[in-house]
């Protein structure tokens, strides 16, 4: 399921009318009928329904929806906010057809009230809104949100915008037309959507492909197609020889979480390179890894890590590493290795000074920043990153030739050619220290077992989030969930994938 920006959806409509040859009126009729069918599957005929119509195509969709619902026997009061003469184009045509079908509407003036309705349908503003919500729309939206009715928004909740968030309809469910919009996957706009329901309005895939960059939801179907199957004849070398580099006296647990997650996720052979100060601590807790105790200074790694003789298939660096001048040299050394590298946590801190080395790499580089780390990478604010997650991720990945995993709700995986894959598993229980270290371990293990790097990374993000969802099913809460709990839930996730 591809995701589009508002501008891309306009380009889709333009392609449909000017290249494929479908009229704007036909597109609106298809959209309204599809939305009405979805509504009729969910709304009982005894409900008291109020449908609110604004200017633009969203309002035109509303006239089609109202006509279709009334024709099915629903009791629908249609309230129109703009003056009749302000309704133009295809929306005006939809209004005339609605009236010619024998149906009436009323003006949503000062006396408009929502009190008697059990269902409200929002067709006020759609994707075309820009700037502040002006009167009378602001007052009407407030009335909608204060009502006790079940609220449906059509396409997007009115007031939702890509760049900022002010007053919006707080929908219980949003029936989005053909393709989800990126605001359904970014915060705070996502909070206005409620349940997301996608309806097909008859736009062929070609129009989407020609009019938008690839932004796709990574689904269970994707993971079922791409998840590797172990052969009976395989051995530990078959599933990758990896190394995790990190740890310090202050944070000895971080690389241990990464290592345990990697082994639990199928890595065949794993080494943990860490300061010799914490070797005994780690060895007492993890029996399955090989250890490479390294020279340290003040509890942090210091000096080069002996890597070349072991011929590792992939490296993960950063968890608990520290931010000293010596640890920066470690990251620089790792970037010079001719294997896939996963860069996380403190290693990301050093990256702005090492971009020349990143761009010169011939092998895959995977960065896994949270929004704060991403803000530092692009020298902006966290708020700016969160408001532009898709565009900032894409620009950075393409310019620097990296795979970028921008963590957070609906983590985005971006490839070096700008393709983007959005994850929908996971919950707020992952908002806790150590869960990023765990994800790094899963990514490390998967890139050594998958043929496709993008599939490996997207599957790792999916599995990581799914483990957190499994924990909720097992009785954990989003409050008590720990990174080590996420690792303990991985077998259940893999069991579910094997069943499917």
């Amino acid at each position: 399921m591809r995701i589009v920006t508002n501008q891309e959806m306009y380009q889709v409509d333009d392609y449909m009318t000017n290249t494929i040859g479908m009229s704007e009126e036909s597109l609106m009729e298809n959209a309204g009928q599809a939305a009405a069918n979805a509504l009729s599957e969910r709304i009982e005929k005894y409900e008291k329904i109020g449908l609110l119509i604004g200017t633009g195509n969203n309002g035109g969709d509303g006239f089609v929806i109202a006509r279709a619902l009334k024709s099915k026997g629903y009791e629908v009061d249609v309230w129109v906010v703009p003056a009749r003469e302000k309704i133009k184009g295809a929306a005006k045509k939809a209004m005339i057809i609605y009236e010619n079908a024998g149906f009436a509407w009323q003006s949503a003036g000062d006396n408009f009230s929502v009190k008697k309705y059990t269902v409200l349908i929002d067709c006020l503003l759609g994707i075309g809104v820009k700037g502040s919500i002006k009167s009378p729309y602001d007052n009407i939206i407030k009335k909608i949100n204060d009502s006790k009715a079940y609220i449906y928004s059509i396409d997007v909740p009115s007031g939702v915008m890509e760049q900022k968030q002010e007053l919006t309809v707080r929908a219980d469910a949003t029936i989005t037309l053909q393709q989800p919009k990126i605001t359904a996957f970014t915060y705070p706009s996502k909070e206005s959507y409620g349940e997301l329901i996608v309806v097909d309005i008859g736009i062929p895939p070609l129009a989407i492909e020609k009019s938008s960059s690839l932004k796709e939801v990574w689904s269970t179907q994707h993971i079922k197609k791409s998840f590797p199957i172990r052969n009976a004849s395989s051995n530990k070398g078959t599933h990758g020889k990896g190394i995790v580099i990190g740890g310090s006296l202050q944070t000895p647990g971080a690389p241990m979480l990464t290592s345990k997650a990697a082994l639990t996720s199928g890595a065949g052979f794993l080494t943990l390179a860490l300061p010799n100060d914490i070797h005994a601590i780690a060895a007492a807790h993890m029996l399955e890894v090989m250890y490479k105790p390294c020279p340290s200074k003040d509890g942090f790694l210091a000096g080069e890590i002996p890597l070349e003789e072991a011929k590792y298939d992939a490296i993960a660096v950063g968890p608990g590493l520290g931010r000293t001048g010596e640890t920066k040299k470690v990251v620089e050394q790792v970037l010079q290795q001719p294997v896939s590298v996963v860069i996380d946590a403190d290693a990301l801190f050093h990256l702005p000074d090492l971009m020349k080395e990143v761009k010169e790499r011939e092998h895959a580089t995977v960065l896994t920043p949270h929004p704060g780390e991403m803000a530092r990478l692009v020298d902006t604010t966290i708020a700016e990153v969160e408001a532009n997650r898709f565009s900032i991720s894409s620009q950075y990945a393409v310019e620097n030739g990296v795979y970028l995993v921008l963590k957070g709700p609906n983590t985005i995986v971006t490839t070096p050619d700008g393709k983007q894959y959005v994850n929908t598993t996971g919950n707020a229980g992952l908002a806790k220290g150590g869960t990023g270290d765990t994800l790094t371990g899963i990514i490390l293990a998967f890139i050594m077992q998958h043929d496709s790097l993008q599939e490996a990374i997207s599957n790792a993000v999916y599995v990581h989030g799914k483990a957190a969802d499994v924990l909720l099913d097992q009785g954990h809460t989003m409050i008590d969930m720990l990174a080590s709990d996420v690792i303990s839930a991985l077998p259940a996730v893999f069991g579910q994938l094997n069943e499917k």
Side-chain angles (χ1 to χ4, degrees):
M1 182 168 58
R2 287 179 69 144
I3 303 164
V4 296
T5 65
N6 294 347
Q7 181 58 39
E8 287 172 338
M9 199 64 220
Y10 285 127
Q11 291 168 191
V12 170
D13 290 343
D14 183 72
Y15 191 92
M16 288 296 294
T17 54
N18 294 323
T19 302
I20 291 181
M22 181 177 284
S23 69
E24 190 176 3
E25 290 82 1
S26 296
L27 284 171
M28 186 171 289
E29 181 69 21
N30 287 355
Q33 291 289 345
N37 287 336
L39 288 165
S40 65
E41 292 173 356
R42 293 166 171 266
I43 302 174
E44 301 293 339
K45 290 195 174 172
Y46 60 76
E47 303 279 8
K48 304 288 187 182
I49 304 170
L51 190 151
L52 296 109
I53 288 178
T55 55
N57 287 350
N58 200 238
D61 295 337
F63 279 115
V64 179
I65 292 167
R67 170 165 54 86
L69 290 178
K70 283 175 174 283
S71 297
K72 293 174 183 288
Y74 286 88
E75 181 183 334
V76 185
D77 290 341
V78 177
W79 296 89
V80 178
V81 177
R84 180 186 181 89
E85 60 270 16
K86 290 189 176 181
I87 301 174
K88 307 288 187 181
K92 181 178 179 180
K93 180 70 171 178
M95 178 183 67
I96 292 170
I97 293 172
Y98 172 85
E99 293 170 334
N100 290 344
F103 301 125
W105 54 268
Q106 48 199 319
S107 177
D110 294 337
N111 62 340
F112 167 70
S113 172
V114 298
K115 291 182 179 178
K116 73 174 184 177
Y117 299 115
T118 58
V119 173
L120 290 169
I121 302 173
D122 158 33
C123 299
L124 289 170
L125 297 173
I127 64 174
V129 63
K130 293 180 176 65
S132 299
I133 308 301
K134 297 179 175 60
S135 179
Y137 289 95
D138 55 353
N139 291 325
I140 291 173
I141 290 174
K142 289 174 184 176
K143 287 181 179 180
I144 292 172
N145 290 341
D146 289 340
S147 75
K148 296 180 180 179
Y150 193 93
I151 302 167
Y152 289 96
S153 286
I154 303 303
D155 207 20
V156 300
S158 289
V160 161
M161 290 175 272
E162 290 179 359
Q163 300 301 319
K164 65 176 182 176
Q165 205 64 46
E166 293 180 355
L167 177 65
T168 73
V169 169
R170 304 282 289 189
D172 294 293
T174 299
I175 297 174
T176 200
L177 307 175
Q178 192 65 46
Q179 307 300 142
K181 314 308 180 286
I182 63 171
T183 47
F185 299 92
T186 56
Y187 283 85
S189 55
K190 182 178 179 179
E191 295 172 335
S192 297
Y193 270 80
E195 181 188 0
L196 181 65
I197 305 160
V198 182
V199 294
D200 188 340
I201 65 171
I203 293 177
L206 179 65
I208 309 296
E209 293 165 7
K210 292 290 187 181
S211 307
S212 62
S213 61
L214 179 64
K215 296 177 288 295
E216 189 170 17
V217 173
W218 194 253
S219 65
T220 305
Q221 286 70 34
H222 286 103
I223 198 169
K224 284 197 293 186
K225 289 180 181 178
S226 60
F227 205 75
I229 298 173
R230 292 205 164 201
N231 294 323
S233 60
S234 65
N235 57 65
K236 64 184 179 183
T238 310
H239 306 297
K241 184 178 184 181
I243 183 169
V244 174
I245 303 172
S248 66
L249 263 178
Q250 295 174 332
T251 52
M256 293 162 60
L257 288 168
T258 301
S259 300
K260 188 169 184 179
L263 286 170
T264 308
S265 300
F269 187 91
L270 195 70
T271 297
L272 174 52
L274 74 181
N276 51 27
D277 310 58
I278 62 171
H279 175 217
I281 299 172
H285 286 83
M286 286 202 62
L287 307 178
E288 297 87 355
V289 300
M290 292 284 290
Y291 286 95
K292 191 182 286 292
C294 299
S296 64
K297 180 180 179 182
D298 300 325
F300 298 97
L301 283 170
E304 287 201 356
I305 312 295
L307 296 173
E308 287 75 9
E309 79 281 359
K311 296 183 179 178
Y312 296 105
D313 298 309
I315 301 171
V317 61
L321 182 69
R323 301 178 178 184
T324 71
E326 294 295 328
T327 57
K328 177 183 173 183
K329 293 177 183 177
V330 171
V331 178
E332 184 175 7
Q333 179 196 358
V334 168
L335 290 172
Q336 295 168 356
Q337 304 307 307
V339 297
S340 296
V341 170
V342 185
I343 300 177
D344 183 35
D346 287 334
L348 292 168
F349 175 84
H350 296 299
L351 219 55
D353 296 328
L354 298 170
M355 292 315 299
K356 178 176 178 291
E357 288 79 1
V358 171
K359 292 180 179 181
E360 289 176 349
R361 280 181 51 77
E362 296 181 0
H363 290 74
T365 309
V366 184
L367 311 187
T368 61
H370 57 57
E373 291 164 336
M374 191 72 232
R376 188 173 187 278
L377 289 174
V378 297
D379 192 23
T380 189
T381 64
I382 295 174
E384 185 70 14
V385 169
E386 291 291 65
N388 300 278
R389 285 173 62 84
F390 284 86
S391 58
I392 286 177
S393 297
S394 178
Q395 182 176 354
Y396 189 91
V398 172
E399 286 181 357
N400 297 290
V402 300
Y403 290 83
L404 185 74
V405 182
L406 181 53
K407 295 184 288 195
N410 298 131
T411 292
I412 303 169
V413 175
T414 307
T415 63
D417 59 359
K419 295 183 176 68
Q420 296 186 292
Y421 302 87
V422 183
N423 183 60
T424 58
T425 62
N427 56 69
L430 291 171
K432 193 170 288 185
T435 58
D437 303 317
T438 301
L439 174 60
T440 296
I442 303 171
I443 292 173
L444 176 66
F446 279 16
I447 64 177
M448 296 191 296
Q449 298 174 77
H450 288 65
D451 293 329
S452 160
L453 224 74
Q454 175 269 312
E455 290 175 350
I457 300 166
S458 295
N459 285 350
V461 173
Y462 177 100
V463 164
H464 181 253
K466 189 66 174 177
D469 294 337
V470 165
L471 288 172
L472 293 185
D473 294 337
Q474 292 176 347
H476 279 270
T477 68
M478 288 183 278
I479 297 172
D480 68 74
M481 197 180 297
L482 301 177
S484 53
D485 296 327
V486 174
I487 298 173
S488 70
L490 289 173
V493 176
F494 297 138
Q496 291 178 12
L497 292 174
N498 286 333
E499 288 173 7
K500 292 174 181 177

